[in-house]
Amino acid sequence: MERKPVVIPQEALEKEAAVCEQIKALWASRGRTPRAFVDTYGCQQNEADSERIRGMLRASGYEIADTEEGADCIVINTCAIREHAETRVYGNVGALVHTKARHPEQKIFLCGCMMGQPAVSDRIRHSYPHVDGVFSTHHLWRFPELLWGVLSTGKRVFAVEDSAGSIAENIPVSRTNTLKAWVSVMYGCNNFCSYCIVPYVRGRERSRRPEDVLKECRELIDAGYKEITLLGQNVNSYGKDLGLGVDFADLMAQVAQLPGEFRLRFMTSHPKDASKKLFDTIASYPKICKQFHLPFQSGNDRVLKAMNRHYDTAQYLALVDYGRSIMPELVLTSDVIVGFPGETEEEFEDTVRLIERVRYDALFTFIFSPRPGTPAAKMDDPVSREEKQVWFDRLLAVQNAKSAEIHAGYIGRTVRVLVDGRSGDENYPLSSRTEGNRLVRLKGDESLMGRFVQAKITGSNTWALYGEVEETKPHCSC
Ligand code: SAH
Ligand code: SF4
Ligand code: F3S
């Protein structure tokens, strides 16, 4: 029988909030303020989850530290997308033995996507006894109760039971950035691309109610946030499970109509159900960035079929062409996998041809990594790692040349950017981002921080643009 995702009742979340108070009281009785360190691997979804973990820690009286050394609680939020990500986690968790030896009261928790795999939680249980607690993404909202369990009994806790997933509203959140915010609109994934672990570890697609998303966005804008990124593994499926007749384009339009000076982004979008309506919505609202991250994964139709992607290159290119026809300035980025099992060199060359045809502004390139339990991990994979690396390097060289060329085309243009930090470059000390999320290193002083300004682009390379402030628009309402 198909399992339905669960909406966590407010009473259960209130109980968790009460446990936070209990933990706070425990530390008050010990006469000191505890410190916690949260380390995040993986994608924006994990970043957003870590902000909730920090929120729950703060609500429990913890100060957030920027190093694990001496922290009373360490939480490592893990990613399972590729083997390399997992290897790094095992290495770092192993090294915590020494940190804990210097601070035996330290409590160590592991959470996130890796912990949704039974083989991983078993390995932690048996081979990493210094880890006190493990929870998968489905149990994140129960973190206060798990932490209390460890603090009050000293016993290890494992909350890793599989589930279709849950939605928990109003968990406290402690955001790391004061200008840019992630807002999850949905969780999980139903697509089961044959190489991907995400649907196994994050459960089925489930959408937050539009009013909850709007409320969170409104609060962020009121608090002075200038950029909101709506998050989901495939935002194009938003709302299908709610049955309210509100799809992602409708939701984005509602957010884009909120008053205030901010801009709106989203990720990620699956090409199989990216609609013309979505492109039309992006084109219609000035606050929605003219940027689209549309992963294509492969430029070969046989490989796309083996990946279970449900679109072909012709359909993909039709979407790109439509988007560009109504928004010539559209910035396009994508993900691509090199060396999917059975991919031939000729099939790989189709991917190179697609990149040359589309001219992406930026590309995230990955060498296929077999994930245990996924169909692709069982497929014949005759091409050697070395050969895949050669393909990968070739792809990168083609893309880097394109990015450099596209960047050079900005020279002399004036673009609106959000000044979001320091660049570390003494000649161009500010860092800022265009609507298309291109990095612009800017001349200027700290007073511009957090402002939208017009930047004249004077230089470029493969990775960044360089510019000067032409005119500031502090009161612009768009
Ligand atoms: N939901 C997003 C992707 C999330 S994972 C989407 O569908 O676009 C981010 C990227 O990691 C994927 O787009 C894919 O390119 C890559 N990826 C996923 N599984 C992988 C694997 N097993 N090996 C290599 N790359 C992988
Ligand atoms: Fe993974 Fe595919 Fe889902 Fe993206 S859409 S998370 S690649 S299964
Ligand atoms: Fe990694 Fe999980 Fe994101 S596997 S890429 S952290 S959804």
Side-chain angles (χ1 to χ4, degrees):
M1 208 179 81
E2 199 187 317
R3 288 171 304 170
K4 287 255 174 287
V6 177
V7 176
I8 307 300
Q10 276 309 305
E11 305 85 81
L13 293 166
E14 278 159 24
K15 271 194 199 148
E16 296 296 325
V19 176
C20 291
E21 291 301 326
Q22 243 170 300
I23 299 172
K24 207 190 240 180
L26 176 82
W27 283 106
S29 72
R30 292 181 184 175
R32 70 182 184 88
T33 305
R35 292 167 58 244
F37 175 68
V38 181
D39 199 5
T40 312
Y41 294 76
C43 66
Q44 292 81 358
Q45 193 66 67
N46 257 17
E47 295 288 348
D49 284 350
S50 285
E51 291 183 342
R52 287 188 156 66
I53 292 166
R54 287 194 195 92
M56 291 184 270
L57 283 162
R58 273 193 196 280
S60 306
Y62 285 77
E63 255 174 20
I64 304 302
D66 53 14
T67 160
E68 61 245 357
E69 194 56 52
D72 298 284
C73 179
I74 297 176
V75 183
I76 303 190
N77 193 3
T78 64
C79 169
I81 203 81
R82 283 169 287 275
E83 192 182 1
H84 178 65
E86 295 200 346
T87 311
R88 275 174 61 213
V89 168
Y90 282 123
N92 290 350
V93 174
L96 288 179
V97 169
H98 309 293
T99 323
K100 193 161 176 168
R102 290 191 288 273
H103 194 83
E105 287 303 302
Q106 192 164 60
K107 304 298 176 204
I108 299 175
F109 282 82
L110 301 188
C111 64
C113 294
M114 267 175 87
M115 303 304 135
Q117 304 171 95
V120 173
S121 56
D122 285 350
R123 179 167 168 188
I124 301 294
R125 198 190 296 267
H126 299 300
S127 309
Y128 295 79
H130 60 295
V131 172
D132 299 281
V134 169
F135 54 99
S136 65
T137 59
H138 304 311
H139 301 275
L140 179 134
W141 64 276
R142 295 176 51 209
F143 176 49
E145 148 203 347
L146 303 172
L147 176 57
W148 174 253
V150 170
L151 287 172
S152 57
T153 67
K155 292 203 177 112
R156 305 174 86 195
V157 290
F158 284 78
V160 289
E161 304 77 41
D162 190 21
S163 97
S166 56
I167 291 197
E169 292 293 347
N170 303 321
I171 295 181
V173 43
S174 171
R175 297 184 193 270
T176 29
N177 192 300
T178 52
L179 282 179
K180 303 177 178 191
W182 313 113
V183 173
S184 297
V185 301
M186 60 187 299
Y187 307 98
C189 181
N190 287 358
N191 291 314
F192 291 95
C193 302
S194 61
Y195 49 82
C196 185
I197 194 74
V198 173
Y200 303 88
V201 294
R202 283 205 171 256
R204 297 292 64 73
E205 282 172 359
R206 48 213 191 269
S207 308
R208 293 177 69 198
R209 298 180 64 82
E211 58 270 30
D212 292 328
V213 174
L214 277 166
K215 179 170 167 276
E216 186 171 346
C217 292
R218 205 177 287 120
E219 286 167 1
L220 288 165
I221 298 160
D222 289 348
Y225 280 84
K226 298 284 182 242
E227 186 174 298
I228 293 175
T229 304
L230 303 180
L231 287 183
Q233 292 301 340
N234 172 21
V235 290
N236 300 332
S237 295
Y238 175 81
K240 285 185 184 162
D241 54 325
L242 293 174
L244 298 171
V246 178
D247 65 13
F248 183 65
D250 300 327
L251 178 75
M252 208 163 43
Q254 289 182 33
V255 179
Q257 289 175 73
L258 291 173
E261 187 192 35
F262 69 96
R263 64 188 184 189
L264 188 58
R265 302 185 190 282
F266 64 95
M267 66 186 306
T268 300
S269 210
H270 194 304
K272 82 175 160 54
D273 36 27
S275 63
K276 283 192 170 177
K277 179 178 169 186
L278 183 59
F279 283 99
D280 294 342
T281 306
I282 299 171
S284 305
Y285 292 91
K287 285 178 187 168
I288 304 180
C289 293
K290 307 297 174 260
Q291 180 214 349
F292 213 121
H293 183 67
L294 194 60
F296 72 99
Q297 312 297 0
S298 163
N300 177 272
D301 289 343
R302 189 202 66 79
V303 175
L304 283 174
K305 209 168 171 42
M307 287 177 163
N308 197 31
R309 289 289 285 181
H310 296 284
Y311 56 84
D312 59 24
T313 44
Q315 287 162 331
Y316 183 87
L317 290 171
L319 278 175
V320 167
D321 290 345
Y322 180 72
R324 289 221 166 115
S325 72
I326 59 167
M327 293 174 280
E329 74 281 31
L330 185 67
V331 166
L332 268 173
T333 58
S334 197
D335 293 348
V336 57
I337 296 178
V338 172
F340 184 80
E343 184 177 44
T344 64
E345 187 161 7
E346 186 46 38
E347 288 168 338
F348 163 72
E349 287 299 331
D350 284 340
T351 293
V352 178
R353 277 188 277 275
L354 190 135
I355 290 170
E356 285 177 328
R357 153 85 157 77
V358 174
R359 290 173 56 83
Y360 291 101
D361 290 79
L363 206 57
F364 298 88
T365 39
F366 308 104
I367 292 184
F368 170 75
S369 169
R371 304 287 64 221
T374 62
K378 298 184 203 86
M379 294 177 186
D380 271 354
D381 193 3
V383 176
S384 68
R385 172 81 201 191
E386 290 69 33
E387 194 165 348
K388 290 183 185 186
Q389 188 65 50
V390 172
W391 297 357
F392 180 87
D393 293 344
R394 165 155 156 65
L395 197 86
L396 218 59
V398 171
Q399 179 56 40
N400 285 347
K402 285 269 168 291
S403 297
E405 203 180 292
I406 292 171
H407 279 175
Y410 278 87
I411 296 176
R413 284 176 56 192
T414 298
V415 289
R416 183 170 177 254
V417 295
L418 173 62
V419 183
D420 60 4
R422 291 171 195 87
S423 70
D425 177 334
E426 60 180 42
N427 295 320
Y428 294 86
L430 298 176
S431 110
S432 69
R433 293 271 170 178
T434 65
E435 243 194 61
N437 222 9
R438 304 288 78 212
L439 171 65
V440 183
R441 294 176 195 273
L442 268 189
K443 290 193 171 171
D445 61 58
E446 299 264 324
S447 67
L448 296 173
M449 204 72 87
R451 301 235 314 249
F452 287 104
V453 298
Q454 298 293 116
K456 169 116 184 192
I457 305 303
T458 53
S460 75
N461 60 27
T462 308
W463 298 277
L465 303 171
Y466 293 82
E468 295 164 6
V469 177
E470 189 157 78
E471 167 203 350
T472 56
K473 283 197 172 174
H475 303 301
C476 173
S477 63
C478 62

